[in-house]
C-alpha cells in the first residue's frame, strides 16, 4: 500500500530574490502538490509564514503589492543598499563599499543596525497576522542562529511576528532578537534552506527552494574588506551546497534579480518561480511517486541514487 507522505516545503532566504518562493507556491498549488509543513529562513520565513497562515497565493501577492506602495516600506531603508548600485556578493560587500565612502565606520559605532527597528517591526505587523506560530493552518517553523551558542534554532512556537523578526535579523542591518534567553539573528547564516527543520516537524519528503545566487566572478581584491566579503560568499555557498543534499528535490528558480535589495523586481522573481515548477514538475511528481514506496525510496537514498 502506498504511504501517505507528509510533504515539507523549505524556503531559503534571499531578500528580493526570495519572491520566487511565491511563484513556486503558485506552481505547486496549480499542480495539486499538497504542502503539509512549511519552514523558512529570513525572507523565506516571511513568505512561508504568510502561506502557512492563509494558503492563498493571490492574497500574498496582494498584501505585498500594498506593502511596497506604502509608507512603511518607503521608510524601511532597503533602498539605501540598492542605491549603492552593487551587484556583488551580499551584505559584507555592501559594507565594504560603505567603508570606502567613509560612511561605514560612523554608522557602525553609532547604531546597532542600519535599518530602524521600529520600522522593521511595522513591516512584520503589516505583512503578518498577530497570532502564535502554533495557530497557523499549516504547521510552520522559522530558523534563526543563536549568537551565544552558535546553534541553529528551530522556532516552532511563540508569537509569529517575533519569530519572523528573529529569522530575518540580518547581522549589521537589523537588530538581533532576544527570545527565551537566546540572542538570535538571521537563520541564513547557519541554515540557508531549512530542510532539517522541515524534517524535525515531521516531513517525510522535503522540497527545498534555493533562490540564492552563486558567488560572482572573482575580482582582484582591493583591500581587506574585499577579501572578507569574497571569503564569506564562498563559505556560504559551500554550506548551501552541503545542506541541499538533504532535500528530496531542489527547486532553484533563475530569478534574474541582480541586487538582493531591489524589490522592484518582485513580479519577475515570482514568474521565474512558476517557470521553475513547470520545468521540474515531471521530476517532482515521479520522485513523489517513488517516495510513496518507502523501502525502494529509502534504499535509493542510502545508495545515493538519483531520486
Amino acid at each position: 500500500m502506498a504511504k501517505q507522505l507528509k510533504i515539507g516545503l523549505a524556503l531559503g532566504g534571499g531578500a528580493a530574490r526570495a519572491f520566487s518562493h511565491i511563484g513556486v507556491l503558485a506552481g505547486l498549488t496549480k499542480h495539486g502538490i499538497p504542502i503539509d509543513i512549511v519552514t523558512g529562513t529570513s525572507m523565506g520565513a516571511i513568505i512561508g509564514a504568510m502561506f502557512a497562515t492563509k494558503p492563498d497565493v493571490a492574497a500574498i501577492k496582494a498584501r505585498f503589492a500594498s506593502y511596497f506602495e506604502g509608507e512603511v516600506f518607503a521608510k524601511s531603508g532597503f533602498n539605501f543598499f540598492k542605491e549603492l548600485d552593487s551587484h556583488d556578493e551580499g551584505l559584507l560587500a555592501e559594507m565594504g563599499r560603505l567603508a570606502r565612502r567613509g560612511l561605514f565606520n560612523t554608522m557602525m559605532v553609532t547604531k546597532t543596525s542600519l535599518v530602524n527597528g521600529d520600522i522593521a517591526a511595522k513591516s512584520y505587523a503589516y505583512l503578518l497576522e498577530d497570532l502564535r506560530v502554533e495557530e497557523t493552518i499549516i504547521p510552520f517553523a522559522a530558523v534563526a542562529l543563536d549568537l551565544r551558542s552558535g546553534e541553529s534554532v528551530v522556532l516552532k512556537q511563540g508569537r509569529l511576528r517575533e519569530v519572523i523578526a528573529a529569522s530575518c535579523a540580518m547581522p549589521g542591518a537589523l537588530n538581533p532578537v532576544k527570545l527565551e534567553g537566546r540572542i538570535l539573528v538571521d537563520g541564513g547564516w547557519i541554515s540557508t534552506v531549512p530542510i532539517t527543520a522541515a524534517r524535525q516537524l515531521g516531513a517525510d519528503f522535503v522540497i527545498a527552494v534555493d533562490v540564492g545566487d552563486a558567488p560572482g566572478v572573482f575580482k582582484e581584491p582591493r583591500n581587506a574588506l574585499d577579501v572578507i566579503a569574497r571569503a564569506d560568499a564562498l563559505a556560504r555557498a559551500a554550506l548551501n551546497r552541503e545542506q541541499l543534499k538533504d532535500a528530496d528535490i531542489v527547486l532553484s528558480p533563475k530569478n534574474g534579480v541582480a541586487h538582493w535589495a531591489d524589490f522592484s523586481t518582485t513580479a519577475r522573481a515570482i514568474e521565474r518561480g512558476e517557470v521553475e515548477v513547470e520545468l521540474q514538475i515531471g521530476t517532482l511528481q515521479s520522485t513523489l511517486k517513488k517516495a510513496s514506496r518507502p523501502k525502494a525510496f529509502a534504499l535509493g537514498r542510502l545508495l545515493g541514487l538519483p531520486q
Side-chain angles (χ1 to χ4, degrees), residues 68-104:
F68 287 132
E69 292 173 358
E71 183 180 2
V72 175
F73 177 72
K75 291 182 177 179
S76 67
F78 281 105
N79 279 336
F80 171 76
F81 293 105
K82 179 186 171 185
E83 288 164 5
L84 290 175
D85 195 29
S86 161
H87 295 171
D88 220 315
E89 286 102 344
L91 186 64
L92 280 176
E94 304 289 3
M95 290 180 175
R97 273 174 291 282
L98 285 175
R100 288 191 287 275
R101 295 184 185 199
L103 299 174
F104 177 72

PDB file of all heavy atoms in Angstrom, residues 68-104:
ATOM      1  N   PHE A  68       4.486  47.407  -0.645  1.00  0.00           N
ATOM      2  CA  PHE A  68       5.515  48.115  -1.398  1.00  0.00           C
ATOM      3  C   PHE A  68       5.076  49.517  -1.827  1.00  0.00           C
ATOM      4  O   PHE A  68       5.908  50.375  -2.104  1.00  0.00           O
ATOM      5  CB  PHE A  68       5.938  47.302  -2.623  1.00  0.00           C
ATOM      6  CG  PHE A  68       6.766  46.100  -2.281  1.00  0.00           C
ATOM      7  CD1 PHE A  68       6.467  44.855  -2.832  1.00  0.00           C
ATOM      8  CD2 PHE A  68       7.835  46.186  -1.409  1.00  0.00           C
ATOM      9  CE1 PHE A  68       7.227  43.740  -2.517  1.00  0.00           C
ATOM     10  CE2 PHE A  68       8.598  45.083  -1.081  1.00  0.00           C
ATOM     11  CZ  PHE A  68       8.289  43.849  -1.636  1.00  0.00           C
ATOM     12  N   GLU A  69       3.779  49.736  -1.882  1.00  0.00           N
ATOM     13  CA  GLU A  69       3.271  51.051  -2.245  1.00  0.00           C
ATOM     14  C   GLU A  69       3.127  51.976  -1.040  1.00  0.00           C
ATOM     15  O   GLU A  69       2.847  53.165  -1.200  1.00  0.00           O
ATOM     16  CB  GLU A  69       1.898  50.911  -2.927  1.00  0.00           C
ATOM     17  CG  GLU A  69       1.956  50.241  -4.287  1.00  0.00           C
ATOM     18  CD  GLU A  69       0.576  49.964  -4.851  1.00  0.00           C
ATOM     19  OE1 GLU A  69      -0.424  50.261  -4.145  1.00  0.00           O
ATOM     20  OE2 GLU A  69       0.483  49.464  -5.982  1.00  0.00           O
ATOM     21  N   GLY A  70       3.319  51.440   0.166  1.00  0.00           N
ATOM     22  CA  GLY A  70       3.020  52.188   1.382  1.00  0.00           C
ATOM     23  C   GLY A  70       4.215  52.884   2.013  1.00  0.00           C
ATOM     24  O   GLY A  70       5.370  52.714   1.613  1.00  0.00           O
ATOM     25  N   GLU A  71       3.903  53.630   3.067  1.00  0.00           N
ATOM     26  CA  GLU A  71       4.898  54.439   3.768  1.00  0.00           C
ATOM     27  C   GLU A  71       5.882  53.593   4.551  1.00  0.00           C
ATOM     28  O   GLU A  71       7.058  53.952   4.674  1.00  0.00           O
ATOM     29  CB  GLU A  71       4.165  55.406   4.713  1.00  0.00           C
ATOM     30  CG  GLU A  71       5.087  56.359   5.452  1.00  0.00           C
ATOM     31  CD  GLU A  71       4.315  57.294   6.364  1.00  0.00           C
ATOM     32  OE1 GLU A  71       3.071  57.169   6.435  1.00  0.00           O
ATOM     33  OE2 GLU A  71       4.955  58.135   7.012  1.00  0.00           O
ATOM     34  N   VAL A  72       5.418  52.462   5.093  1.00  0.00           N
ATOM     35  CA  VAL A  72       6.300  51.629   5.914  1.00  0.00           C
ATOM     36  C   VAL A  72       7.488  51.137   5.098  1.00  0.00           C
ATOM     37  O   VAL A  72       8.643  51.223   5.538  1.00  0.00           O
ATOM     38  CB  VAL A  72       5.531  50.434   6.516  1.00  0.00           C
ATOM     39  CG1 VAL A  72       6.492  49.504   7.260  1.00  0.00           C
ATOM     40  CG2 VAL A  72       4.444  50.925   7.463  1.00  0.00           C
ATOM     41  N   PHE A  73       7.232  50.633   3.896  1.00  0.00           N
ATOM     42  CA  PHE A  73       8.343  50.172   3.061  1.00  0.00           C
ATOM     43  C   PHE A  73       9.230  51.334   2.633  1.00  0.00           C
ATOM     44  O   PHE A  73      10.457  51.201   2.607  1.00  0.00           O
ATOM     45  CB  PHE A  73       7.833  49.443   1.824  1.00  0.00           C
ATOM     46  CG  PHE A  73       8.938  49.023   0.891  1.00  0.00           C
ATOM     47  CD1 PHE A  73       9.788  47.990   1.227  1.00  0.00           C
ATOM     48  CD2 PHE A  73       9.144  49.691  -0.308  1.00  0.00           C
ATOM     49  CE1 PHE A  73      10.836  47.615   0.387  1.00  0.00           C
ATOM     50  CE2 PHE A  73      10.177  49.326  -1.155  1.00  0.00           C
ATOM     51  CZ  PHE A  73      11.027  48.285  -0.810  1.00  0.00           C
ATOM     52  N   ALA A  74       8.625  52.476   2.327  1.00  0.00           N
ATOM     53  CA  ALA A  74       9.413  53.638   1.901  1.00  0.00           C
ATOM     54  C   ALA A  74      10.418  54.058   2.966  1.00  0.00           C
ATOM     55  O   ALA A  74      11.504  54.558   2.649  1.00  0.00           O
ATOM     56  CB  ALA A  74       8.474  54.801   1.581  1.00  0.00           C
ATOM     57  N   LYS A  75      10.073  53.805   4.237  1.00  0.00           N
ATOM     58  CA  LYS A  75      10.962  54.195   5.338  1.00  0.00           C
ATOM     59  C   LYS A  75      11.874  53.053   5.786  1.00  0.00           C
ATOM     60  O   LYS A  75      12.667  53.221   6.711  1.00  0.00           O
ATOM     61  CB  LYS A  75      10.124  54.643   6.533  1.00  0.00           C
ATOM     62  CG  LYS A  75       9.379  55.960   6.319  1.00  0.00           C
ATOM     63  CD  LYS A  75       8.613  56.347   7.576  1.00  0.00           C
ATOM     64  CE  LYS A  75       7.931  57.703   7.409  1.00  0.00           C
ATOM     65  NZ  LYS A  75       7.171  58.077   8.628  1.00  0.00           N
ATOM     66  N   SER A  76      11.774  51.904   5.151  1.00  0.00           N
ATOM     67  CA  SER A  76      12.487  50.724   5.635  1.00  0.00           C
ATOM     68  C   SER A  76      14.004  50.847   5.543  1.00  0.00           C
ATOM     69  O   SER A  76      14.733  50.223   6.302  1.00  0.00           O
ATOM     70  CB  SER A  76      12.034  49.482   4.862  1.00  0.00           C
ATOM     71  OG  SER A  76      12.449  49.567   3.499  1.00  0.00           O
ATOM     72  N   GLY A  77      14.484  51.598   4.580  1.00  0.00           N
ATOM     73  CA  GLY A  77      15.927  51.767   4.434  1.00  0.00           C
ATOM     74  C   GLY A  77      16.573  50.827   3.445  1.00  0.00           C
ATOM     75  O   GLY A  77      17.763  50.964   3.137  1.00  0.00           O
ATOM     76  N   PHE A  78      15.827  49.861   2.900  1.00  0.00           N
ATOM     77  CA  PHE A  78      16.458  48.904   1.991  1.00  0.00           C
ATOM     78  C   PHE A  78      16.871  49.558   0.671  1.00  0.00           C
ATOM     79  O   PHE A  78      17.811  49.101   0.023  1.00  0.00           O
ATOM     80  CB  PHE A  78      15.547  47.711   1.749  1.00  0.00           C
ATOM     81  CG  PHE A  78      15.584  46.719   2.868  1.00  0.00           C
ATOM     82  CD1 PHE A  78      14.534  46.618   3.770  1.00  0.00           C
ATOM     83  CD2 PHE A  78      16.682  45.902   3.051  1.00  0.00           C
ATOM     84  CE1 PHE A  78      14.577  45.715   4.809  1.00  0.00           C
ATOM     85  CE2 PHE A  78      16.737  44.992   4.085  1.00  0.00           C
ATOM     86  CZ  PHE A  78      15.676  44.903   4.979  1.00  0.00           C
ATOM     87  N   ASN A  79      16.188  50.617   0.285  1.00  0.00           N
ATOM     88  CA  ASN A  79      16.604  51.320  -0.928  1.00  0.00           C
ATOM     89  C   ASN A  79      18.009  51.899  -0.792  1.00  0.00           C
ATOM     90  O   ASN A  79      18.699  52.128  -1.780  1.00  0.00           O
ATOM     91  CB  ASN A  79      15.615  52.432  -1.270  1.00  0.00           C
ATOM     92  CG  ASN A  79      14.388  51.901  -1.983  1.00  0.00           C
ATOM     93  OD1 ASN A  79      14.438  50.847  -2.602  1.00  0.00           O
ATOM     94  ND2 ASN A  79      13.289  52.611  -1.869  1.00  0.00           N
ATOM     95  N   PHE A  80      18.420  52.143   0.461  1.00  0.00           N
ATOM     96  CA  PHE A  80      19.770  52.646   0.701  1.00  0.00           C
ATOM     97  C   PHE A  80      20.805  51.672   0.152  1.00  0.00           C
ATOM     98  O   PHE A  80      21.777  52.070  -0.491  1.00  0.00           O
ATOM     99  CB  PHE A  80      19.963  52.852   2.205  1.00  0.00           C
ATOM    100  CG  PHE A  80      21.378  53.164   2.604  1.00  0.00           C
ATOM    101  CD1 PHE A  80      21.911  54.424   2.384  1.00  0.00           C
ATOM    102  CD2 PHE A  80      22.172  52.205   3.207  1.00  0.00           C
ATOM    103  CE1 PHE A  80      23.223  54.710   2.764  1.00  0.00           C
ATOM    104  CE2 PHE A  80      23.469  52.487   3.580  1.00  0.00           C
ATOM    105  CZ  PHE A  80      23.993  53.741   3.362  1.00  0.00           C
ATOM    106  N   PHE A  81      20.584  50.379   0.397  1.00  0.00           N
ATOM    107  CA  PHE A  81      21.528  49.367  -0.098  1.00  0.00           C
ATOM    108  C   PHE A  81      21.482  49.291  -1.621  1.00  0.00           C
ATOM    109  O   PHE A  81      22.511  49.176  -2.280  1.00  0.00           O
ATOM    110  CB  PHE A  81      21.207  48.004   0.511  1.00  0.00           C
ATOM    111  CG  PHE A  81      21.441  47.934   1.987  1.00  0.00           C
ATOM    112  CD1 PHE A  81      20.375  47.936   2.865  1.00  0.00           C
ATOM    113  CD2 PHE A  81      22.719  47.868   2.502  1.00  0.00           C
ATOM    114  CE1 PHE A  81      20.585  47.863   4.232  1.00  0.00           C
ATOM    115  CE2 PHE A  81      22.948  47.795   3.859  1.00  0.00           C
ATOM    116  CZ  PHE A  81      21.870  47.799   4.737  1.00  0.00           C
ATOM    117  N   LYS A  82      20.293  49.355  -2.165  1.00  0.00           N
ATOM    118  CA  LYS A  82      20.150  49.296  -3.614  1.00  0.00           C
ATOM    119  C   LYS A  82      20.858  50.462  -4.283  1.00  0.00           C
ATOM    120  O   LYS A  82      21.502  50.328  -5.330  1.00  0.00           O
ATOM    121  CB  LYS A  82      18.673  49.291  -3.991  1.00  0.00           C
ATOM    122  CG  LYS A  82      18.418  49.258  -5.495  1.00  0.00           C
ATOM    123  CD  LYS A  82      16.940  49.403  -5.778  1.00  0.00           C
ATOM    124  CE  LYS A  82      16.686  49.588  -7.270  1.00  0.00           C
ATOM    125  NZ  LYS A  82      15.269  49.845  -7.552  1.00  0.00           N
ATOM    126  N   GLU A  83      20.757  51.642  -3.658  1.00  0.00           N
ATOM    127  CA  GLU A  83      21.335  52.834  -4.260  1.00  0.00           C
ATOM    128  C   GLU A  83      22.854  52.826  -4.271  1.00  0.00           C
ATOM    129  O   GLU A  83      23.479  53.645  -4.932  1.00  0.00           O
ATOM    130  CB  GLU A  83      20.816  54.079  -3.528  1.00  0.00           C
ATOM    131  CG  GLU A  83      19.343  54.364  -3.849  1.00  0.00           C
ATOM    132  CD  GLU A  83      18.701  55.331  -2.874  1.00  0.00           C
ATOM    133  OE1 GLU A  83      19.427  55.856  -2.000  1.00  0.00           O
ATOM    134  OE2 GLU A  83      17.487  55.531  -2.980  1.00  0.00           O
ATOM    135  N   LEU A  84      23.453  51.883  -3.517  1.00  0.00           N
ATOM    136  CA  LEU A  84      24.902  51.740  -3.619  1.00  0.00           C
ATOM    137  C   LEU A  84      25.304  51.163  -4.976  1.00  0.00           C
ATOM    138  O   LEU A  84      26.466  51.126  -5.322  1.00  0.00           O
ATOM    139  CB  LEU A  84      25.421  50.808  -2.510  1.00  0.00           C
ATOM    140  CG  LEU A  84      25.365  51.370  -1.092  1.00  0.00           C
ATOM    141  CD1 LEU A  84      25.782  50.303  -0.110  1.00  0.00           C
ATOM    142  CD2 LEU A  84      26.226  52.602  -0.961  1.00  0.00           C
ATOM    143  N   ASP A  85      24.285  50.710  -5.727  1.00  0.00           N
ATOM    144  CA  ASP A  85      24.482  50.202  -7.086  1.00  0.00           C
ATOM    145  C   ASP A  85      25.458  49.040  -7.114  1.00  0.00           C
ATOM    146  O   ASP A  85      26.341  48.942  -7.961  1.00  0.00           O
ATOM    147  CB  ASP A  85      24.992  51.319  -8.015  1.00  0.00           C
ATOM    148  CG  ASP A  85      24.856  50.918  -9.489  1.00  0.00           C
ATOM    149  OD1 ASP A  85      23.937  50.131  -9.807  1.00  0.00           O
ATOM    150  OD2 ASP A  85      25.656  51.399 -10.299  1.00  0.00           O
ATOM    151  N   SER A  86      25.247  48.100  -6.184  1.00  0.00           N
ATOM    152  CA  SER A  86      26.107  46.926  -6.108  1.00  0.00           C
ATOM    153  C   SER A  86      25.421  45.713  -6.701  1.00  0.00           C
ATOM    154  O   SER A  86      24.249  45.493  -6.476  1.00  0.00           O
ATOM    155  CB  SER A  86      26.438  46.631  -4.643  1.00  0.00           C
ATOM    156  OG  SER A  86      26.884  45.317  -4.513  1.00  0.00           O
ATOM    157  N   HIS A  87      26.185  44.933  -7.434  1.00  0.00           N
ATOM    158  CA  HIS A  87      25.698  43.634  -7.898  1.00  0.00           C
ATOM    159  C   HIS A  87      26.640  42.565  -7.364  1.00  0.00           C
ATOM    160  O   HIS A  87      26.961  41.614  -8.040  1.00  0.00           O
ATOM    161  CB  HIS A  87      25.637  43.595  -9.418  1.00  0.00           C
ATOM    162  CG  HIS A  87      24.652  44.550  -9.991  1.00  0.00           C
ATOM    163  ND1 HIS A  87      24.563  44.813 -11.320  1.00  0.00           N
ATOM    164  CD2 HIS A  87      23.702  45.322  -9.394  1.00  0.00           C
ATOM    165  CE1 HIS A  87      23.605  45.704 -11.557  1.00  0.00           C
ATOM    166  NE2 HIS A  87      23.077  46.022 -10.396  1.00  0.00           N
ATOM    167  N   ASP A  88      27.071  42.745  -6.130  1.00  0.00           N
ATOM    168  CA  ASP A  88      28.129  41.910  -5.566  1.00  0.00           C
ATOM    169  C   ASP A  88      27.577  40.809  -4.682  1.00  0.00           C
ATOM    170  O   ASP A  88      26.405  40.465  -4.769  1.00  0.00           O
ATOM    171  CB  ASP A  88      29.120  42.802  -4.801  1.00  0.00           C
ATOM    172  CG  ASP A  88      30.557  42.381  -5.021  1.00  0.00           C
ATOM    173  OD1 ASP A  88      30.815  41.178  -4.957  1.00  0.00           O
ATOM    174  OD2 ASP A  88      31.393  43.261  -5.247  1.00  0.00           O
ATOM    175  N   GLU A  89      28.401  40.278  -3.773  1.00  0.00           N
ATOM    176  CA  GLU A  89      28.084  39.037  -3.077  1.00  0.00           C
ATOM    177  C   GLU A  89      27.284  39.165  -1.800  1.00  0.00           C
ATOM    178  O   GLU A  89      27.140  38.197  -1.091  1.00  0.00           O
ATOM    179  CB  GLU A  89      29.387  38.280  -2.761  1.00  0.00           C
ATOM    180  CG  GLU A  89      30.016  37.635  -3.973  1.00  0.00           C
ATOM    181  CD  GLU A  89      31.192  38.441  -4.481  1.00  0.00           C
ATOM    182  OE1 GLU A  89      31.307  39.619  -4.088  1.00  0.00           O
ATOM    183  OE2 GLU A  89      31.972  37.908  -5.266  1.00  0.00           O
ATOM    184  N   GLY A  90      26.770  40.311  -1.423  1.00  0.00           N
ATOM    185  CA  GLY A  90      25.942  40.359  -0.231  1.00  0.00           C
ATOM    186  C   GLY A  90      26.282  41.483   0.708  1.00  0.00           C
ATOM    187  O   GLY A  90      26.939  42.463   0.351  1.00  0.00           O
ATOM    188  N   LEU A  91      25.803  41.334   1.959  1.00  0.00           N
ATOM    189  CA  LEU A  91      25.876  42.430   2.912  1.00  0.00           C
ATOM    190  C   LEU A  91      27.307  42.834   3.227  1.00  0.00           C
ATOM    191  O   LEU A  91      27.607  44.030   3.339  1.00  0.00           O
ATOM    192  CB  LEU A  91      25.151  42.031   4.199  1.00  0.00           C
ATOM    193  CG  LEU A  91      25.033  43.141   5.240  1.00  0.00           C
ATOM    194  CD1 LEU A  91      24.183  44.281   4.721  1.00  0.00           C
ATOM    195  CD2 LEU A  91      24.457  42.611   6.532  1.00  0.00           C
ATOM    196  N   LEU A  92      28.212  41.876   3.386  1.00  0.00           N
ATOM    197  CA  LEU A  92      29.594  42.254   3.686  1.00  0.00           C
ATOM    198  C   LEU A  92      30.197  43.078   2.556  1.00  0.00           C
ATOM    199  O   LEU A  92      30.960  44.023   2.801  1.00  0.00           O
ATOM    200  CB  LEU A  92      30.449  41.015   3.937  1.00  0.00           C
ATOM    201  CG  LEU A  92      30.332  40.388   5.330  1.00  0.00           C
ATOM    202  CD1 LEU A  92      31.165  39.123   5.394  1.00  0.00           C
ATOM    203  CD2 LEU A  92      30.777  41.368   6.395  1.00  0.00           C
ATOM    204  N   ALA A  93      29.872  42.734   1.341  1.00  0.00           N
ATOM    205  CA  ALA A  93      30.364  43.523   0.213  1.00  0.00           C
ATOM    206  C   ALA A  93      29.771  44.929   0.250  1.00  0.00           C
ATOM    207  O   ALA A  93      30.458  45.917  -0.048  1.00  0.00           O
ATOM    208  CB  ALA A  93      30.014  42.835  -1.102  1.00  0.00           C
ATOM    209  N   GLU A  94      28.490  45.027   0.618  1.00  0.00           N
ATOM    210  CA  GLU A  94      27.862  46.345   0.746  1.00  0.00           C
ATOM    211  C   GLU A  94      28.591  47.174   1.803  1.00  0.00           C
ATOM    212  O   GLU A  94      28.842  48.369   1.629  1.00  0.00           O
ATOM    213  CB  GLU A  94      26.387  46.197   1.160  1.00  0.00           C
ATOM    214  CG  GLU A  94      25.549  45.331   0.252  1.00  0.00           C
ATOM    215  CD  GLU A  94      25.262  45.969  -1.080  1.00  0.00           C
ATOM    216  OE1 GLU A  94      25.756  47.079  -1.338  1.00  0.00           O
ATOM    217  OE2 GLU A  94      24.541  45.353  -1.884  1.00  0.00           O
ATOM    218  N   MET A  95      28.904  46.543   2.916  1.00  0.00           N
ATOM    219  CA  MET A  95      29.584  47.247   3.994  1.00  0.00           C
ATOM    220  C   MET A  95      30.972  47.708   3.563  1.00  0.00           C
ATOM    221  O   MET A  95      31.448  48.771   3.971  1.00  0.00           O
ATOM    222  CB  MET A  95      29.673  46.350   5.230  1.00  0.00           C
ATOM    223  CG  MET A  95      28.327  46.124   5.889  1.00  0.00           C
ATOM    224  SD  MET A  95      28.438  45.060   7.337  1.00  0.00           S
ATOM    225  CE  MET A  95      26.734  45.156   7.934  1.00  0.00           C
ATOM    226  N   GLY A  96      31.625  46.906   2.726  1.00  0.00           N
ATOM    227  CA  GLY A  96      32.915  47.324   2.197  1.00  0.00           C
ATOM    228  C   GLY A  96      32.810  48.592   1.387  1.00  0.00           C
ATOM    229  O   GLY A  96      33.644  49.499   1.484  1.00  0.00           O
ATOM    230  N   ARG A  97      31.756  48.686   0.569  1.00  0.00           N
ATOM    231  CA  ARG A  97      31.559  49.908  -0.212  1.00  0.00           C
ATOM    232  C   ARG A  97      31.244  51.108   0.675  1.00  0.00           C
ATOM    233  O   ARG A  97      31.683  52.221   0.432  1.00  0.00           O
ATOM    234  CB  ARG A  97      30.460  49.694  -1.261  1.00  0.00           C
ATOM    235  CG  ARG A  97      31.012  49.115  -2.560  1.00  0.00           C
ATOM    236  CD  ARG A  97      29.903  48.768  -3.513  1.00  0.00           C
ATOM    237  NE  ARG A  97      29.139  47.640  -3.023  1.00  0.00           N
ATOM    238  CZ  ARG A  97      29.556  46.372  -3.120  1.00  0.00           C
ATOM    239  NH1 ARG A  97      30.706  46.103  -3.689  1.00  0.00           N
ATOM    240  NH2 ARG A  97      28.827  45.389  -2.654  1.00  0.00           N
ATOM    241  N   LEU A  98      30.482  50.854   1.747  1.00  0.00           N
ATOM    242  CA  LEU A  98      30.201  51.933   2.690  1.00  0.00           C
ATOM    243  C   LEU A  98      31.498  52.438   3.317  1.00  0.00           C
ATOM    244  O   LEU A  98      31.689  53.640   3.492  1.00  0.00           O
ATOM    245  CB  LEU A  98      29.254  51.444   3.787  1.00  0.00           C
ATOM    246  CG  LEU A  98      27.783  51.268   3.410  1.00  0.00           C
ATOM    247  CD1 LEU A  98      27.028  50.656   4.580  1.00  0.00           C
ATOM    248  CD2 LEU A  98      27.162  52.597   3.025  1.00  0.00           C
ATOM    249  N   ALA A  99      32.373  51.497   3.677  1.00  0.00           N
ATOM    250  CA  ALA A  99      33.634  51.884   4.288  1.00  0.00           C
ATOM    251  C   ALA A  99      34.462  52.756   3.343  1.00  0.00           C
ATOM    252  O   ALA A  99      35.062  53.744   3.742  1.00  0.00           O
ATOM    253  CB  ALA A  99      34.423  50.634   4.689  1.00  0.00           C
ATOM    254  N   ARG A 100      34.479  52.364   2.061  1.00  0.00           N
ATOM    255  CA  ARG A 100      35.252  53.142   1.095  1.00  0.00           C
ATOM    256  C   ARG A 100      34.659  54.527   0.893  1.00  0.00           C
ATOM    257  O   ARG A 100      35.347  55.460   0.492  1.00  0.00           O
ATOM    258  CB  ARG A 100      35.321  52.377  -0.233  1.00  0.00           C
ATOM    259  CG  ARG A 100      36.225  51.148  -0.159  1.00  0.00           C
ATOM    260  CD  ARG A 100      36.499  50.565  -1.526  1.00  0.00           C
ATOM    261  NE  ARG A 100      35.352  49.887  -2.089  1.00  0.00           N
ATOM    262  CZ  ARG A 100      35.032  48.616  -1.839  1.00  0.00           C
ATOM    263  NH1 ARG A 100      35.758  47.909  -0.990  1.00  0.00           N
ATOM    264  NH2 ARG A 100      33.994  48.057  -2.415  1.00  0.00           N
ATOM    265  N   ARG A 101      33.355  54.685   1.184  1.00  0.00           N
ATOM    266  CA  ARG A 101      32.739  56.006   1.070  1.00  0.00           C
ATOM    267  C   ARG A 101      32.821  56.789   2.374  1.00  0.00           C
ATOM    268  O   ARG A 101      32.282  57.881   2.490  1.00  0.00           O
ATOM    269  CB  ARG A 101      31.268  55.849   0.662  1.00  0.00           C
ATOM    270  CG  ARG A 101      31.106  55.258  -0.728  1.00  0.00           C
ATOM    271  CD  ARG A 101      29.658  55.210  -1.125  1.00  0.00           C
ATOM    272  NE  ARG A 101      29.507  54.528  -2.416  1.00  0.00           N
ATOM    273  CZ  ARG A 101      28.435  54.654  -3.184  1.00  0.00           C
ATOM    274  NH1 ARG A 101      27.446  55.428  -2.820  1.00  0.00           N
ATOM    275  NH2 ARG A 101      28.359  54.001  -4.325  1.00  0.00           N
ATOM    276  N   GLY A 102      33.463  56.205   3.394  1.00  0.00           N
ATOM    277  CA  GLY A 102      33.620  56.917   4.647  1.00  0.00           C
ATOM    278  C   GLY A 102      32.383  56.902   5.521  1.00  0.00           C
ATOM    279  O   GLY A 102      32.326  57.619   6.522  1.00  0.00           O
ATOM    280  N   LEU A 103      31.382  56.059   5.199  1.00  0.00           N
ATOM    281  CA  LEU A 103      30.128  56.040   5.950  1.00  0.00           C
ATOM    282  C   LEU A 103      30.081  54.923   6.976  1.00  0.00           C
ATOM    283  O   LEU A 103      29.483  55.071   8.037  1.00  0.00           O
ATOM    284  CB  LEU A 103      28.944  55.860   4.983  1.00  0.00           C
ATOM    285  CG  LEU A 103      28.736  56.933   3.935  1.00  0.00           C
ATOM    286  CD1 LEU A 103      27.618  56.498   2.979  1.00  0.00           C
ATOM    287  CD2 LEU A 103      28.369  58.256   4.582  1.00  0.00           C
ATOM    288  N   PHE A 104      30.707  53.826   6.659  1.00  0.00           N
ATOM    289  CA  PHE A 104      30.528  52.607   7.440  1.00  0.00           C
ATOM    290  C   PHE A 104      30.972  52.768   8.892  1.00  0.00           C
ATOM    291  O   PHE A 104      30.243  52.406   9.819  1.00  0.00           O
ATOM    292  CB  PHE A 104      31.309  51.473   6.777  1.00  0.00           C
ATOM    293  CG  PHE A 104      31.253  50.180   7.519  1.00  0.00           C
ATOM    294  CD1 PHE A 104      30.085  49.440   7.547  1.00  0.00           C
ATOM    295  CD2 PHE A 104      32.354  49.704   8.205  1.00  0.00           C
ATOM    296  CE1 PHE A 104      30.023  48.241   8.230  1.00  0.00           C
ATOM    297  CE2 PHE A 104      32.298  48.512   8.886  1.00  0.00           C
ATOM    298  CZ  PHE A 104      31.138  47.785   8.897  1.00  0.00           C
TER     299      PHE A 104
END
